[in-house]
Amino acid sequence: MSSLRPASAAVELQQAMAGVRAPGVWRTRGEKNVLKEDLLEAVLERSNLQAAYLTVKGNKGAAGIDGIGTEDLGEHLCAHWVGIRAKLLEGRYKPSPVRPVAIAKPGGGERQLGIPTTLDRLIQQALQQVLSGILDPTFSTASYGYRPGRSAHDAIRQARHHVVEEQRGWVVDIDIERFFDTIDHDLLMRDLSQHVADKRVLALVGRILRAGVLQDGRIIRSAKGTPQGGPLSPLLANLYLDRLDKELERRGVAFVRYADDVTLYARSERSAQRIYENIVPWIEKHLKLRVNTHKSGTRPPDAGSFLGFVIEADGQIGISQKSLQRFKAQVRLLWDARYGLSGRERIAAWQQYVTGWWTYYRLCDARRAVFRLGGWIRRHIRKFMWQRWHSWRGRHNALRRLGARGPKLALAHSTRGAWRAAVALNPILNNDRLRRWGLYTPEDLAAADSS
């Protein structure tokens, strides 16, 4: 099939799956799944694959080592799916090594991602959708990361509940060093086999874990780690840390976990220290993970942060200083005239960033620190405008288009720096005008929330 232009992604996959027989349905009894031997057929069932395909297409993302992007995946499936499905059912399918990508961490340093091929992402997503239905109901209610119907906001609310309602005034922070890179495959597969009986599914997950990384033309494999970047990794990470959750529950420790971000809550400093001294050796012995003792320890709730938030001394939820500093750094970047975007692209980029940022941090009760930044943000925007006008002639023309007359036009000849000139632009590029252009601040978005 040389070309393919389906009307929609759903049609595209339907064409690829044409002629594939729908398998038998795997059933549930009460709250526990009947672990039938045909779980792989449930993974490869047409509607499950269509849902996985739409998710992979919707997430877009970069191509893996084979160079096949999400826009080409449908055509690839049309040409090869029958053979791929046969290999999966017969246990002959070999996932490709992932492509390594380093991304900057907010606190400095780099995080290594592993980008699977789009075909492997489809298969992982299909696995995740079926395995999640089996594994997620068994997870702790104190686990919030990468779970359906749960969010970081729920985790923060629960953290405040422990601090305020239960009066647990001490926090134990547990920072696991390079968690996704150090998950032990044998321990993970042992845990997975407690829930899944289909050996073909277990073997496929094992091959995904051992696929390795293609680096400098060599495939590097390890007995540890599940690469961040694949759809299956978050579910497997939750399964791996579920044993920690169950141990904390057995000990009667109040805790909140979001992926590998773990905070424990105690009513006294002595109790918090005792919990810390006991749980760290347990993690290192039973999970074969290393706890970063420089970033772990005990503290009052307002002396640190969790998921970018702080539980203040008065019980309010605030924004951590690190989160505010990262926000300010992004404001400087997006409104730097040297950052090569057109005016329209820049406005779109700003709208996307600030609305996404506020959607996350709108949970805060203590908002004064954020709202105080409004004038500073608008000054950066006006500074950018001034710099983009380049010369006095460009400024004169721009100011005239904005309705400036008389003395206000004289500003075009100002020799002051762009940061100082931005203040003089206030009457011309006033707040209302910036809002009409879609140049919102968090305070504007908060006002829209309450209107």
Side-chain angles (χ1 to χ4, degrees):
M1 191 174 291
S2 59
S3 64
L4 177 68
R5 291 183 176 84
S8 69
V11 172
E12 193 172 300
L13 189 63
Q14 243 175 354
Q15 292 174 347
M17 303 301 162
V20 176
R21 182 180 61 84
V25 178
W26 57 286
R27 300 182 298 274
T28 60
R29 183 187 302 129
E31 293 183 358
K32 293 185 178 180
N33 295 90
V34 178
L35 304 180
K36 294 180 65 176
E37 293 296 330
D38 61 353
L39 193 62
L40 184 58
E41 279 77 8
V43 172
L44 299 178
E45 197 270 329
R46 187 180 304 172
S47 62
N48 186 58
L49 286 166
Q50 287 176 340
Y53 177 78
L54 292 173
T55 299
V56 171
K57 288 277 284 187
N59 289 340
K60 298 181 181 178
I65 63 170
D66 61 0
I68 297 174
T70 53
E71 67 280 0
D72 304 316
L73 179 58
E75 186 171 357
H76 182 74
L77 290 171
C78 281
H80 302 288
W81 177 249
V82 173
I84 293 167
R85 185 175 187 275
K87 287 182 180 180
L88 286 163
L89 288 170
E90 295 163 11
R92 296 185 294 110
Y93 181 81
K94 293 183 179 180
S96 300
V98 300
R99 181 170 65 85
V101 175
I103 62 170
K105 294 172 67 174
E110 290 183 335
R111 174 181 288 112
Q112 291 294 325
L113 298 185
I115 308 300
T117 64
T118 50
L119 175 60
D120 286 339
R121 293 211 293 273
L122 171 73
I123 293 167
Q124 286 194 37
Q125 182 64 34
L127 277 166
Q128 187 273 340
Q129 289 166 181
V130 170
L131 291 178
S132 180
I134 296 171
L135 300 176
D136 192 81
T138 71
F139 291 159
S140 168
T141 57
S143 166
Y144 292 89
Y146 308 114
R147 297 185 63 188
R150 289 169 167 257
S151 69
H153 286 183
D154 295 325
I156 297 301
R157 291 188 187 99
Q158 185 61 35
R160 179 165 64 176
H161 174 80
H162 288 317
V163 171
V164 177
E165 275 76 18
E166 296 179 353
Q167 297 186 343
R168 299 179 188 272
W170 280 86
V171 179
V172 180
D173 288 318
I174 301 294
D175 184 278
I176 300 174
E177 199 170 282
R178 298 177 60 240
F179 167 65
F180 280 90
D181 297 331
T182 55
I183 290 175
D184 185 275
H185 291 174
D186 290 338
L187 290 181
L188 176 59
M189 294 306 299
R190 187 183 71 185
D191 289 346
L192 185 60
S193 66
Q194 299 300 309
H195 301 273
V196 173
D198 192 329
K199 293 181 180 179
R200 297 170 301 169
V201 170
L202 294 172
L204 177 57
V205 173
R207 289 196 296 273
I208 289 171
L209 292 173
R210 297 189 300 272
V213 179
L214 184 64
Q215 202 157 30
D216 299 325
R218 294 170 51 239
I219 299 175
I220 301 171
R221 292 189 170 92
S222 172
K224 292 184 176 182
T226 174
Q228 288 179 270
L232 194 56
S233 291
L235 180 64
L236 296 179
N238 271 335
L239 174 64
Y240 196 81
L241 288 178
D242 188 59
R243 282 201 291 148
L244 171 61
D245 299 344
K246 297 299 193 289
E247 178 65 18
L248 293 171
E249 289 173 346
R250 188 187 68 79
R251 298 183 183 202
V253 177
F255 70 100
V256 177
R257 182 173 67 78
Y258 190 94
D260 58 328
D261 287 310
V262 190
T263 53
L264 290 60
Y265 299 86
R267 290 193 169 92
S268 69
E269 182 178 8
R270 182 178 178 183
S271 176
Q273 190 62 36
R274 185 173 63 250
I275 291 170
Y276 176 75
E277 290 171 356
N278 288 332
I279 204 62
V280 168
W282 188 94
I283 291 171
E284 295 185 339
K285 177 181 178 180
H286 293 278
L287 297 182
K288 298 184 180 180
L289 299 172
R290 183 181 296 276
V291 175
N292 186 334
T293 54
H294 297 293
K295 295 182 179 180
S296 303
T298 64
R299 60 172 175 85
D302 60 348
S305 64
F306 178 48
L307 302 178
F309 295 90
V310 176
I311 310 298
E312 305 282 9
D314 60 1
Q316 288 194 321
I317 298 173
I319 300 178
S320 73
Q321 283 301 310
K322 284 185 178 180
S323 297
L324 284 176
Q325 292 305 316
R326 288 197 292 268
F327 176 73
K328 291 173 72 173
Q330 194 67 13
V331 171
R332 294 188 186 99
L333 174 65
L334 287 173
W335 294 109
D336 186 336
R338 297 168 297 180
Y339 182 45
L341 291 175
S342 69
R344 187 168 295 179
E345 290 171 335
R346 194 175 302 266
I347 290 173
W350 170 250
Q351 288 175 334
Q352 181 179 16
Y353 175 72
V354 74
T355 53
W357 190 89
W358 180 248
T359 297
Y360 185 74
Y361 286 104
R362 73 189 343 152
L363 180 68
C364 287
D365 308 304
R367 299 177 171 185
R368 187 176 302 174
V370 178
F371 292 171
R372 276 202 301 259
L373 293 176
W376 177 84
I377 293 168
R378 287 187 285 265
R379 189 171 177 181
H380 269 280
I381 294 171
R382 294 177 183 118
K383 172 191 170 186
F384 164 79
M385 300 289 189
W386 180 263
Q387 290 173 323
R388 287 294 294 265
W389 295 336
H390 300 300
S391 64
W392 74 265
R393 199 180 302 277
R395 292 166 191 153
H396 184 274
N397 293 336
L399 290 169
R400 280 186 65 85
R401 288 195 300 272
L402 291 170
R405 298 292 183 268
K408 290 182 180 178
L409 275 176
L411 180 62
H413 297 276
S414 172
T415 58
R416 68 183 73 181
W419 186 243
R420 290 182 61 201
V423 177
L425 281 175
N426 280 10
I428 302 162
L429 291 176
N430 58 48
N431 296 356
D432 286 339
R433 174 169 264 159
L434 294 181
R435 290 189 196 102
R436 286 199 304 273
W437 290 350
L439 300 174
Y440 314 118
T441 66
E443 189 172 8
D444 296 329
L445 296 171
D449 288 343
S450 58
S451 62

